[in-house]
Every structure is written in C-alpha cells, then in structure tokens.
Amino acid sequence: MSSPTPRDVRRLASDHDFTFQASPRPKQLGWWSFLANNLSIPAAMCIGIIFTIVAIVYTNSTSKQVLDCPAWATSCPAADDWTINHLGTVQGIITLLFSIGLVALAYVALALCEAAVWPLLSRQIFTIRELEAYLSTTRGSILSAPRALMSIKTLATGLILVGAIVVTLLPFAAAPMVGYAFTPTLVAVDLDGNYTAPGGGISQLYAQTDPPTSVMVDVMAEYNSWATNPSSEPLPGQRDWYVDRETLAQRGSFSGNAIKLDTSITCQRHMVKQRGGGGLAWNAFQTNMTRTRESLAGKESHKKEDSDVWVRSLPQLTVWVDNFTFISEHRTTATLVFAAFNGTIEGGQWTPVLLGNTTGASSIACQVDIEARDDILVVTEPDSFVPANDFQSPARTTLSSIATLTLGSNTKKTAINELLLWFTVAPLLVGSSVDGTQPMFFNSTQTNRAVAYTSSTPERNTWTIAGIESMIRLSIGALAQATSTSSETRPQTQTLRSTILTRKMSPARSLLLIVPPLLIIGIAIAIGVWNTWVHRKEGIPVMRMAGVGEILKSTQTAYLREVCGTDAAKTYLPYETGTVEVKYGVDKDGVVGLARSVRGLNGERRVEFMGVGGV
C-alpha cells in the first residue's frame, strides 16, 4: 500500500473536519483530553502527594517526641520503644516513601515540560539533534541537559529546561534531607516532674567541744568528694542556696522559691594564744567560745580552760571557732581561726609555738557572716537557655522555705540563728576529729583545695586567703546539701517544670521536607499554566505529549518526508538528519507538522527559514 500524499492528507483531514480552513474551526483539545489520554499523570500526582504527606507528617510528629525521657519526668512525650530502638530502619522507610513521592511528582512536572515542546516549536527553531536533547532532558536525562541548553533561543525555552533539570535533581535530595531531619540533636524541652521538698534543717545545737557527729558524717562525705573531685559537685554556682542540689542538677533550667544564704567572709591576720601550765606548753589554744556540751545541758562552769581547743602536733592546717554572735533573727556571724603549723598562710600572723616538732603557726581569723532569706532561685543549665517558669508566677514551686525548716532551739527568736551557726562553722564539720582534737587539713596539689587529713601522706601546707575562703564556701555548700533532705515534718510533693536539653529530632528540620515537593508542584503548575496560555494563543489544536507516535504524526510534511526518505535509503549509516532545522506550524501544502517553512497555526504570516544541513 502506497503512502498518502500531501493531497491525500489534506483530504483525510477535511473528511474529519480537522482542516484549519474548516468553518467553524474544530474545538481545541486541552487539559481534560490531555489527562484522559495520559492517566499516569493524575495517578502519579496522587501517589506523589500521598507519599510525601505521609513522610512529612510522620517525620514532623516524631520530631515532637523525646527520644530520651529522664526518669523523673511525669509528662514526657516520648516516642515508642520500637521507633527509638530502630530509628535507622524508620529513617530508611521514610526515605523510601519520600523518594517515591518526589519521583512521582517529578514525573508530572517533566511530563508537562515534554508537552511544552509543541508551543516552543511554534516559537523557535530546533534542529533534530537539539529536539532530541530537549526531549531527553524533559524525561530525566541530566547528561542531555548541556546540549539542550545550547538550543535555547527564547526565554521560555530556557526557563522550562531549567525547571526540568531542577525537577530531575530534587528527588536525589530525599536521602540527605530525611537523614538530616532524623539526626537527633540536643533540644530544649519543657518537662514536668515531681519534686519532694523535705524542708531541711538541723534539730541539734552546735557546741565547739564534742559536737554532734550525726550531722558531721554526711557533711564530711559530701565535702571530701567535692574537694578531691571538683567536677562531682552538683550546681556549684548555687552553693549559697539551701536546696537539694543533687536532685535539682538533673532538672536542667528552672526557677523556684528557695532559701538564699547570703554569705560574706572577711579574713585578717590573727595571733593564736597557746595554753600551758606548770612550766609546760599544752597542745591547746585559747578561744572566746564558751559554749560546750555541758553549757547546753544547763551545767555552769567557770573554768577558763573550758573554752580551749586541742590540736594534734602535725604540720597541717587546723581550724576552730573563736566566737559567734546572733546579729538578728535571720543573721549569724562567727569568727574562725585558721592556723597552719610549720606552714604559711598568705597575709597570716606568725606565732612561735612549742608543740613537738612544731616551731610556730601562721594564722588568720575569718569572720563568716550568713543571713537567711526567702528568694527566687533561677538555674540555667546551660547558660544559653532560659528557665521554663514565669519568674513572676505566684504558683512557682517552693524548693525550700524558712517556714518549713527543722530547728533545734526552743526559743523562737534564736531558732534560725542556731541553724545558721552551723553554717558559719561549717569548715569544722568537714574534717575528722581524733581524740577530741580539732580537724586538720592539707592543701591538695591536684585540686588546690583543702582536703581532710587522715592517715595519708600530706601534700602541701602553704595557703592563700582566697583558698581558705573557697574552703569555707565549699564546706557551707556541703552542709547545705547534707541537711537539705532532712525533715521532721511530712515532705511536700510538688510539680516542678524545668527546661532540659535532651536527645530529640528537630521539628524545624522536619519542616524542611516541605520544600522539595512544593518546589516541584510549583514548577509543574507554572509550566501547566504557560502551556495552556500558549496553546490558546498560538492556536495549537491539541495538548499532547511528544512520544514516538506524536512525533511520527507531526513529521508527515512533504519536507520531512523527502528529507527522511532520502536518509532512510542509506541503511548502512546512522541517521544524518541531526542538523535539519524544523518548526511546528502549517506547511505550504496546508499540513500541520514539523517543516522547514511554516506559518502559524493561528493564521499568522508564513515564517521562512533555511535548514542548517540535511541530506
């Protein structure tokens, strides 16, 4: 059967009312016809939207859940155990879903880029090779993009090609973007937890001689742990607060009502007075401290030596209380004497001493003034995060209060003073007493802190006033920690809201997953709108793809039949029509298709151009 001639083609078109000279002109086949003939496009759009939404919603909901919930938290939005234990597997599944979604959306956008070839051919010239590169690019071939970009002669062609390249590359971003969203980071989270405020306090009264050991046991343990390992001290910046720092150190950033111990320390040189009798020097020193265990029991004593303190004949630092004063109901001051036997204290007073191998003592007196008041404790850990609590909230958690303290005095007026006396003499409680002598300390070469001397080999006996002040403050903090959990009343359980840094996915990162699908959809919409507009403006009768069938249909012009027929005769060679230039329109015989000389489909004047090569 012979091929139809151009006259036959025109006759067949006339028989079907498809000629452009027909009146009225046949109705253009637009979007509905295009989608009906390419059902894979709406199907891919639905699949792409569903898969990307599922991936984004799941990632975002998981990012709002905590991966490591602290044991104390009562309301922690934790992810389920399976997700936490198999986070890598979950990430892989979401990456697969997100990739499928992006590829499906990209298929839609690239299909519209391919359909745009007919409006572009009606506006600019393409060689066969450039047309081939353009179609390959709109079908996802990045390697064809350079040749396609060299065919750009109009702005629309450039924009559509750039859009096709972007759409092709975006699905490759799925894996790194999902990986970035699923990478756990330390995120600040507000959590509620129960906090039991025991009240704190000391029910006994302090005496210089034979002090109660029940208080000293826990204080010694806390102090020496911190003195030998400074990093073990919880919340060192809050030593002046009478709270359970060990518990609160786990709570991150918070604020609450608590007792503040305003402490001031003033040290100056002091001469010690050694006691003796019968021509002998005793290992005792005179003080102005008259309170003893007997005096607390109501037994009067007028012996001068009742105020003496006894020390061991060792070249170490010792400390005793010289006197104390109750300044006001909530304020107490005490004078502590620090004496380094056969040692030196910066700015200290040297006093000759006859005590075994001891020749003298360098000593200072430090006045420790402590006032207790209810205040608001604000903890920020780390410093860059603000506590979750509103500082002015009347419902703020009470961590400790003067009203709930356990006190040992029957006299209400001096009850707080008696408690504060323990804190002013805290350095005496952090060392061990041997046979009733005062505790002794050496200066650690590793931590530069005073460490209680036991039977270990001493290190240094040289001191600075700053070092002794640090010892006083550290011992006050140790006493506060050791006694903060004691109470003779029923502890009160409250809810403490705090902000902590915990392992969690970032919600902001999960929202970045919205960008690729929105970008692909945006490009598809823009190209679709442009396609519709140009099809109508140029009078292109049907919106269609550019598959093999559509290309064959549009190459049945006399010009291409002649060119391709000549090339087809050379069966022993590859095609040689790559440099032939074509444009889409109506040829001189009235056939719509690709030709060398065409006029516009909307009745515009003929456009003449010469092919660059041929066969």
Side-chain angles (χ1 to χ4, degrees):
M1 181 178 178
S2 59
S3 300
T5 64
R7 180 177 295 179
D8 295 332
V9 172
R10 291 197 302 273
R11 180 179 57 78
L12 291 171
S14 177
D15 291 343
H16 292 84
D17 294 329
F18 287 162
T19 59
F20 283 88
Q21 292 80 13
S23 180
R25 179 176 292 186
K27 182 180 179 181
Q28 285 184 316
L29 300 179
W31 271 103
W32 293 114
S33 173
F34 177 72
L35 295 178
N37 286 284
N38 299 278
L39 293 176
S40 60
I41 294 178
M45 177 63 79
C46 293
I47 292 173
I49 291 176
I50 292 173
F51 276 50
T52 53
I53 287 178
V54 169
I56 293 171
V57 170
Y58 180 84
T59 304
N60 184 255
S61 62
T62 305
S63 69
K64 296 177 181 179
Q65 298 172 337
V66 177
L67 300 179
D68 291 326
C69 272
W72 51 263
T74 56
S75 58
C76 183
D80 60 272
D81 292 339
W82 192 91
T83 299
I84 295 174
N85 296 330
H86 302 85
L87 193 62
T89 302
V90 174
Q91 177 184 332
I93 295 173
I94 295 302
T95 300
L96 177 62
L97 293 177
F98 194 57
S99 298
I100 293 174
L102 292 183
V103 170
L105 293 176
Y107 173 83
V108 175
L110 291 175
L112 295 175
C113 291
E114 180 180 332
V117 69
W118 304 110
L120 292 177
L121 278 167
S122 69
R123 293 191 163 200
Q124 80 158 64
I125 301 166
F126 280 91
T127 66
I128 297 299
R129 188 170 285 113
E130 289 172 347
L131 181 60
E132 183 181 16
Y134 174 89
L135 292 176
S136 295
T137 302
T138 59
R139 291 165 186 167
S141 174
I142 295 299
L143 295 179
S144 301
R147 179 177 289 275
L149 291 172
M150 289 189 293
S151 70
I152 296 174
K153 298 180 181 67
T154 62
L155 178 62
T157 304
L159 293 177
I160 291 174
L161 281 173
V162 170
I165 294 171
V166 171
V167 166
T168 302
L169 293 176
L170 278 176
F172 293 101
M177 290 191 70
V178 173
Y180 181 67
F182 268 82
T183 301
T185 59
L186 291 179
V187 180
V189 180
D190 292 347
L191 296 177
D192 291 335
N194 291 332
Y195 178 79
T196 301
I202 302 174
S203 60
Q204 298 166 305
L205 302 182
Y206 175 77
Q208 171 112 291
T209 57
D210 191 23
T213 57
S214 59
V215 178
M216 297 172 59
V217 173
D218 291 337
V219 181
M220 289 175 61
E222 295 285 2
Y223 175 87
N224 286 286
S225 173
W226 302 346
T228 55
N229 183 16
S231 62
S232 65
E233 181 183 5
L235 300 179
Q238 281 71 42
R239 287 178 190 162
D240 293 339
W241 293 86
Y242 200 3
V243 293
D244 183 3
R245 287 188 286 154
E246 288 186 357
T247 298
L248 294 176
Q250 307 172 22
R251 300 300 183 92
S253 300
F254 60 90
S255 66
N257 299 317
I259 301 174
K260 176 70 181 297
L261 300 176
D262 291 323
T263 305
S264 65
I265 302 172
T266 304
C267 298
Q268 58 185 2
R269 63 175 57 202
H270 177 80
M271 180 178 292
V272 296
K273 298 179 180 179
Q274 186 177 14
R275 295 282 289 157
L280 298 175
W282 299 345
N283 59 333
F285 290 86
Q286 181 180 338
T287 74
N288 295 311
M289 181 76 170
T290 57
R291 176 182 286 188
T292 61
R293 186 58 50 193
E294 289 76 14
S295 65
L296 290 176
K299 301 176 182 179
E300 295 186 3
S301 175
H302 300 287
K303 296 180 180 180
K304 190 174 183 180
E305 56 269 22
D306 286 345
S307 63
D308 294 344
V309 292
W310 296 77
V311 300
R312 285 180 284 173
S313 178
L314 293 171
Q316 298 301 314
L317 178 75
T318 190
V319 58
W320 63 77
V321 184
D322 187 64
N323 60 73
F324 69 91
T325 306
F326 296 160
I327 305 298
S328 63
E329 290 187 13
H330 292 174
R331 182 182 175 191
T332 299
T333 182
T335 301
L336 307 182
V337 175
F338 293 85
F341 296 115
N342 284 357
T344 58
I345 299 178
E346 178 187 37
Q349 176 68 50
W350 178 262
T351 305
V353 172
L354 297 176
L355 187 62
N357 294 326
T358 303
T359 59
S362 178
S363 56
I364 60 172
C366 294
Q367 187 179 54
V368 182
D369 191 315
I370 299 180
E371 182 177 9
R373 58 184 174 87
D374 288 324
D375 203 343
I376 299 174
L377 170 62
V378 177
V379 175
T380 55
E381 293 289 337
D383 293 338
S384 58
F385 290 95
V386 178
N389 294 42
D390 177 6
F391 294 165
Q392 304 301 322
S393 173
R396 185 181 292 105
T397 303
T398 298
L399 307 175
S400 62
S401 173
I402 292 178
T404 60
L405 288 173
T406 297
L407 305 173
S409 175
N410 294 326
T411 305
K412 184 176 181 180
K413 186 175 182 180
T414 60
I416 301 296
N417 296 113
E418 293 289 357
L419 174 63
L420 294 180
L421 178 59
W422 283 96
F423 287 95
T424 58
V425 302
L428 283 81
L429 310 178
V430 299
S432 58
S433 175
V434 178
D435 297 329
T437 60
Q438 298 301 109
M440 307 201 81
F441 304 87
F442 65 88
N443 195 356
S444 173
T445 56
Q446 296 179 347
T447 63
N448 290 320
R449 288 183 171 181
V451 178
Y453 173 78
T454 54
S455 58
S456 60
T457 303
E459 298 185 35
R460 287 185 301 174
N461 194 23
T462 56
W463 307 83
T464 64
I465 292 180
I468 289 178
E469 289 183 357
S470 174
M471 171 193 178
I472 296 173
R473 294 186 183 277
L474 188 64
S475 59
I476 292 174
L479 179 60
Q481 175 60 46
T483 60
S484 64
T485 57
S486 62
S487 177
E488 294 184 358
T489 60
R490 185 176 181 179
Q492 298 179 352
T493 300
Q494 306 172 76
T495 298
L496 174 63
R497 169 163 291 185
S498 56
T499 302
I500 69 166
L501 287 177
T502 186
R503 203 168 66 94
K504 180 178 176 292
M505 292 163 53
S506 172
R509 293 184 179 183
S510 66
L511 295 178
L512 291 176
L513 298 180
I514 299 175
V515 175
L518 286 183
L519 190 56
I520 294 176
I521 293 173
I523 291 174
I525 292 174
I527 295 176
V529 171
W530 183 87
N531 252 335
T532 303
W533 176 69
V534 177
H535 272 76
R536 290 179 180 177
K537 183 178 180 181
E538 298 294 335
I540 300 173
V542 58
M543 182 181 291
R544 54 185 175 145
M545 301 289 284
V548 175
E550 298 291 356
I551 292 294
L552 286 174
K553 178 180 179 179
S554 296
T555 56
Q556 302 307 310
T557 59
Y559 172 68
L560 284 183
R561 285 165 64 90
E562 178 184 355
V563 171
C564 293
T566 303
D567 191 37
K570 303 176 182 179
T571 56
Y572 52 87
L573 293 174
Y575 83 101
E576 296 179 348
T577 56
T579 57
V580 174
E581 293 180 337
V582 294
K583 194 173 184 183
Y584 183 63
V586 183
D587 71 353
K588 60 183 179 181
D589 297 319
V591 177
V592 177
L594 301 175
R596 179 176 178 178
S597 177
V598 298
R599 59 185 172 84
L601 293 168
N602 56 1
E604 292 180 354
R605 63 182 178 84
R606 181 178 299 231
V607 179
E608 300 285 350
F609 60 91
M610 298 299 294
V612 183
V615 293

